[in-house]
Amino acid sequence: MVKRLATYAALLLTVSMSGLIGAPAWAAGSPWGADYFPNVPLVNQDGKKVMFYDDLLKDKKVMIDFIFSLCDQGCPLDTANMVRVQKLLGSRVGTDIFMYSITLDPENDTPEKLKEYAKQYGAGPGWQFLTGTRADIDAIRDKLGQRSSKEEHANAVQVADMATGRWIRIPLATDPRYIVTEIQNALYPGWSVGKKLASFAHAPKPNVFGPGQVMFANRCAACHTFGKGDMLGPDLMGLTERRELNWIASYLTSPNEMRARKDPIALKLAKTHKVLMPNLNLTKKEVAEMMGYLVAKSVAPAKGEAAKQPLLTADASGAAKSGAMDHDHAQHDHSKHDHAQHGHAQHDQARQDHAQQHDHAQHDHAQHDHGSAQK
């Protein structure tokens, strides 16, 4: 499932269900209404029976994703990120925008289990977790274009304004601020017109550590911090000092297998923290990039010293530039850098080339119009 996340980068080209780019509302109402969706019964985490179309969809602005409580791959990440989205949307959730997570495992996910699942992640009011019969849930999934197995389901949220028939699909393994911006673009077209937007020149100038930073922001930041305390998972400050690097790399690669092998540290983490570390199906290259970022970020600088040198920093104009950095073999991905084949002049050029890459973790999507293609 998570291995397909890269594919969903292409689904950022969110195409409207009408097949038209930026299509206006239909004068006579949406074709995606009572004649299209099954009005089947579901039960939420509080044991309340609701009808899918009449109670959950009709005339509402909605967000729908699919999860199951025993999932050890994409669902934990999806739900943790949805919690962050809910917080960013604030009081609009439950009053103007309604969030629904529908189980893919109704045989196991009773209302009681879904209530515990919601509590485990800290889901707030206005977000319903729903179960029902297998046949009814499959009928809903079919109409929403979700026809794969539960293990391979889309790691995405579907957003709709039922009054206009506008639907989009947004990948969940991405920055929650981007997700919220796309939701606003879909549900409130023109929301930014007339608003005075801050200049990029006044934006914070955070250190840029390379591709591992973007991966961490998209896949890990919903559960972990550096030095700000535990969240769903442990605080990672000091991680590379208290754990061997080989152990960290193995845990990033296959945490579920380490728990199955009764690794004592993996079992202790599972017992101590609310949410199990999911298997992110990282490639060897991605593990190496993530390790570089963890090494750079998890060690607190000594008093009076600068933070551990990043690969790149941002100058006063906001442009990325090479930071002062000694050659650090603990952070370096040697699969890309062959000292026997080329010198440091080429390494410097590689760093300059990397500085020109588009860093979504630092990009202000509120000023970027992704609405050129809607689904």
Side-chain angles (χ1 to χ4, degrees):
M1 179 165 53
V2 178
K3 64 188 177 183
R4 300 169 61 188
L5 288 173
T7 303
Y8 282 100
L11 290 178
L12 294 177
L13 303 174
T14 47
V15 182
S16 74
M17 289 180 74
S18 67
L20 302 175
I21 305 302
W26 286 267
S30 167
W32 319 111
D35 292 337
Y36 180 79
F37 288 107
N39 195 32
V40 294
L42 298 174
V43 181
N44 69 17
Q45 72 267 36
D46 296 318
K48 180 181 177 181
K49 179 181 174 181
V50 292
M51 302 305 292
F52 181 66
Y53 181 77
D54 286 348
D55 297 325
L56 302 183
L57 296 186
K58 187 177 180 181
D59 299 328
K60 288 183 171 66
K61 295 178 175 67
V62 301
M63 299 166 54
I64 304 171
D65 77 326
F66 291 90
I67 53 91
F68 60 105
S69 65
L70 295 180
C71 177
D72 63 358
Q73 297 192 46
C75 297
L77 170 62
D78 294 349
T79 304
N81 227 14
M82 285 278 277
V83 169
R84 295 203 290 172
V85 169
Q86 183 183 34
K87 290 177 179 177
L88 289 172
L89 290 172
S91 61
R92 284 180 288 180
V93 176
T95 57
D96 189 40
I97 301 173
F98 299 86
M99 296 175 64
Y100 308 128
S101 290
I102 303 174
T103 182
L104 294 169
D105 187 14
E107 294 82 5
N108 174 71
D109 286 339
T110 62
E112 294 77 16
K113 286 189 178 181
L114 290 177
K115 190 176 185 69
E116 180 59 31
Y117 182 83
K119 180 180 178 181
Q120 181 182 18
Y121 284 88
W127 183 357
Q128 296 190 57
F129 292 76
L130 300 147
T131 188
T133 68
R134 167 64 62 190
D136 288 342
I137 288 175
D138 284 349
I140 292 169
R141 291 186 68 210
D142 182 73
K143 291 298 185 179
L144 290 173
Q146 301 271 353
R147 301 181 180 93
S148 58
S149 68
K150 69 180 182 182
E151 290 79 13
E152 293 292 328
H153 73 92
N155 299 100
V157 59
Q158 290 172 264
V159 179
D161 184 342
M162 294 301 296
T164 65
R166 186 177 180 85
W167 284 79
I168 65 169
R169 178 181 292 179
I170 308 171
L172 280 169
T174 189
D175 192 307
R177 293 166 296 181
Y178 165 73
I179 296 173
V180 169
T181 299
E182 289 300 296
I183 290 169
Q184 292 184 141
N185 289 341
L187 302 184
Y188 310 101
W191 65 272
S192 62
V193 174
K195 292 183 180 291
K196 185 177 180 180
L197 301 177
S199 169
F200 278 113
H202 300 138
K205 307 299 189 300
N207 290 329
V208 180
F209 292 84
Q213 180 175 6
V214 180
M215 200 184 318
F216 183 90
N218 290 345
R219 303 195 190 185
C220 308
C223 298
H224 300 280
T225 72
F226 290 100
K228 296 182 179 179
D230 291 354
M231 293 172 55
L232 295 175
D235 189 325
L236 298 182
M237 184 58 71
L239 172 66
T240 56
E241 294 178 321
R242 65 179 181 266
R243 301 276 185 262
E244 293 183 358
L245 296 184
N246 285 340
W247 185 93
I248 299 171
S250 296
Y251 195 61
L252 285 173
T253 302
S254 53
N256 52 339
E257 290 183 10
M258 292 184 72
R259 289 190 292 266
R261 294 198 303 266
K262 308 298 184 185
D263 178 272
I265 299 174
L267 292 179
K268 183 178 179 181
L269 289 171
K271 183 178 180 180
T272 304
H273 297 281
K274 294 180 180 179
V275 176
L276 293 179
M277 168 75 173
N279 190 338
L280 300 178
N281 288 318
L282 299 177
T283 65
K284 290 183 179 179
K285 176 177 179 291
E286 288 172 331
V287 170
E289 291 170 346
M290 184 74 82
M291 288 295 295
Y293 180 64
L294 292 174
V295 168
K297 280 288 289 184
S298 69
V299 179
K303 188 175 182 180
E305 291 184 1
K308 195 129 183 171
Q309 297 95 328
L311 296 177
L312 302 168
T313 57
D315 62 22
S317 67
K321 66 177 183 178
S322 297
M325 183 186 74
D326 294 327
H327 190 66
D328 186 346
H329 285 263
Q331 299 180 42
H332 192 60
D333 182 357
H334 283 82
S335 66
K336 298 180 182 177
H337 188 66
D338 186 349
H339 287 269
Q341 310 251 345
H342 62 81
H344 282 272
Q346 290 168 291
H347 179 60
D348 289 341
Q349 181 61 47
R351 277 194 280 156
Q352 292 171 13
D353 291 342
H354 179 78
Q356 299 172 13
Q357 293 179 3
H358 188 63
D359 184 357
H360 283 275
Q362 310 299 326
H363 189 60
D364 182 1
H365 288 282
Q367 299 184 50
H368 189 65
D369 182 10
H370 289 273
S372 60
Q374 302 290 331
K375 182 169 183 176

